[in-house]
Amino acid sequence: MKQMILITVLLIGYVRPEFIPGCSFYNGQCSYTVQLGHQGQCNLPTTAQNPSDFPTTVQPPTTCCTNLQTDIADLRSLVAGLTNDLKLLKDNYNVLENETNELNTTTSNKDDLLQLLQTKEAEFNKTHDQIAAVLQQASAEIHRLRDELVATTRQLNNCRGTLGLQSGTATVAPVLDASINMTFCDFQTSSESCGFNTNRKTGYSWKSHSGSINSLTGPIEDHTYGSQKGVYMYMDTDNSPYGDHVIRTYRMESNLISPAAAVCVRFWYNMNGKDIRTLNIYAKIGNGDGYPVWTQSGNQGQRWSLGEVSLDSEYTASHFKIVVEGTTDSYHTSYNHYNEHGDIAFDDFYIYNTSCNSE
Ligand SMILES: *[C@@H]1O[C@H](CO)[C@@H](O)[C@H](O)[C@H]1NC(C)=O
Ligand SMILES: *[C@@H]1O[C@H](CO)[C@@H](O)[C@H](O)[C@H]1NC(C)=O
Ligand SMILES: *[C@@H]1O[C@H](CO)[C@@H](O)[C@H](O)[C@H]1NC(C)=O
Ligand SMILES: *[C@@H]1O[C@H](CO)[C@@H](O)[C@H](O)[C@H]1NC(C)=O
Ligand SMILES: *[C@@H]1O[C@H](CO)[C@@H](O)[C@H](O)[C@H]1NC(C)=O
């Protein structure tokens, strides 16, 4: 720049060899024109080339340019400071924006997670329901198979009965698992062969019988073979006390049953007759009957029904007996037997050393 001015001056032939640009003073004011070189200096009227340019009476302050430059420097540093502040603000803004973005991301992540959690919960619920359904199906299927097995066993027994293949021992074992010990009594020979004790010293006991008793009480045939020749146990209420309307109890007790984690007791019963009261099954430990573990009351019609009860270790931890107890309040008058219809019958007694559900 300085050289350019120099060249221009030389070309037009106007020579001002000591031109020092800077501020000029008019009316005591410093008029800033061109500032080239001479940092921090101000031209004084005495050193100016053409003193007539300035009113000599007014002495301008020697520091004005310095002040100006200081002001400019101050302004520059202010601007620099502001620029810096602006940068900081911008950075802060960016940080804030990033944080907002992160927050938005986190929020949407949270929503996604909640959504996922709900989906998983729904899946879990579905699986849970499916498992429950499968279990229920399996359980129903097991029950169906067991009923089928019992029915098949009965058919087989009928077949044996028809063929005259009588058996006093348990030969037909409706059991699904070979590791399960099952004892079975069809009462074909005598109650004693199954270990049932019917020799009560006091009170009434059960007897064995074949065929029907009469049209108003008892079954028409046994359960094992479904035959008039097949044998079952029953409560004989013929010769009930005269005119006595008191409940009488008929009992028989099994042999001792071996301890097991659980025991399933299964039997067929027939409760046909208007004077029938209750059939109770007890698990007798020592000399105590305790409460019945199974009970059925009232006239159930002429069909045989399956009764079963699972006994847990409360009963089966040590040796115990099964007690079969029927009650009736039948009585007779001298004119007819109308009030002697209390003959409960009992047949096909099974004991498994496992609970009924797992057998
Ligand atoms: C903001 O986030 C972007 C990308 O996520 C990153 O490149 C940038 O450095 C972040 N800025 C600040 C100020 O944290
Ligand atoms: C954050 O989410 C809100 C609501 O969805 C939206 O209005 C805002 O623009 C988002 N901010 C950023 C930085 O994405
Ligand atoms: C899952 O099952 C529970 C309990 O039945 C219920 O409270 C919940 O709303 C179910 N969840 C879904 C997602 O269906
Ligand atoms: C049942 O008895 C049999 C024969 O004593 C035995 O092998 C089996 O382990 C018993 N099962 C159970 C479930 O107690
Ligand atoms: C099977 O159970 C009966 C009755 O509890 C028991 O008398 C018999 O000893 C058991 N048999 C075996 C092999 O455990």
Side-chain angles (χ1 to χ4, degrees), residues 319-333:
H319 283 89
F320 66 99
K321 290 179 176 180
I322 293 295
V323 178
V324 181
E325 177 196 270
T327 61
T328 176
D329 60 355
S330 65
Y331 61 99
H332 89 275
T333 66

Side-chain angles (χ1 to χ4, degrees), residues 1 23 31 45 62 121 123 128 150 183 216 228 246 287 329:
M1 180 69 169
C23 64
S31 166
T62 57
E121 194 188 352
E123 276 174 20
H128 185 264
V150 169
T183 56
L216 293 173
Q228 291 282 316
V246 165
N287 288 322
D329 60 355

Side-chain angles (χ1 to χ4, degrees), residues 56-73:
T56 51
T57 49
V58 179
Q59 290 299 311
T62 57
T63 56
C64 67
C65 286
T66 311
N67 284 349
L68 201 64
Q69 284 179 323
T70 310
D71 285 351
I72 288 171

Side-chain angles (χ1 to χ4, degrees), residues 91-248:
D91 286 352
N92 282 346
Y93 173 78
N94 282 340
V95 168
L96 272 179
E97 195 183 29
N98 276 9
E99 280 177 358
T100 312
N101 279 337
E102 271 173 31
L103 205 65
N104 272 14
T105 314
T106 313
T107 309
S108 69
N109 277 352
K110 201 184 78 189
D111 288 346
D112 286 352
L113 277 177
L114 272 177
Q115 184 65 43
L116 189 68
L117 207 64
Q118 218 158 25
T119 313
K120 290 289 168 202
E121 194 188 352
E123 276 174 20
F124 174 78
N125 277 5
K126 203 175 142 208
T127 314
H128 185 264
D129 289 351
Q130 279 172 345
I131 288 175
V134 166
L135 274 182
Q136 200 177 354
Q137 235 175 8
S139 167
E141 183 64 7
I142 285 173
H143 274 84
R144 194 189 64 75
L145 281 175
R146 211 186 48 218
D147 289 350
E148 203 174 290
L149 192 62
V150 169
T152 311
T153 306
R154 189 174 179 212
Q155 280 171 10
L156 193 62
N157 283 338
N158 284 347
C159 198
R160 286 192 317 160
T162 310
L163 293 173
L165 301 174
Q166 297 280 324
S167 77
T169 54
T171 49
V172 182
V175 59
L176 295 174
D177 184 338
S179 76
I180 292 170
N181 173 21
M182 185 208 70
T183 56
F184 168 66
C185 182
D186 59 13
F187 300 101
Q188 292 308 317
T189 52
S190 81
S191 61
E192 296 299 326
S193 72
C194 303
F196 273 97
N197 180 357
T198 55
N199 299 323
R200 292 187 73 190
K201 293 193 177 70
T202 58
Y204 301 87
S205 191
W206 296 65
K207 295 178 180 174
S208 58
H209 190 80
S210 291
S212 79
I213 294 163
N214 73 51
S215 60
L216 293 173
T217 192
I220 52 173
E221 56 193 16
D222 83 327
H223 180 264
T224 314
Y225 300 131
S227 155
Q228 291 282 316
K229 291 186 182 139
V231 184
Y232 59 88
M233 301 300 289
Y234 86 121
M235 289 162 44
D236 182 8
T237 58
D238 247 0
N239 304 313
S240 298
Y242 176 80
D244 186 359
H245 210 62
V246 165
I247 288 188
R248 293 184 317 285

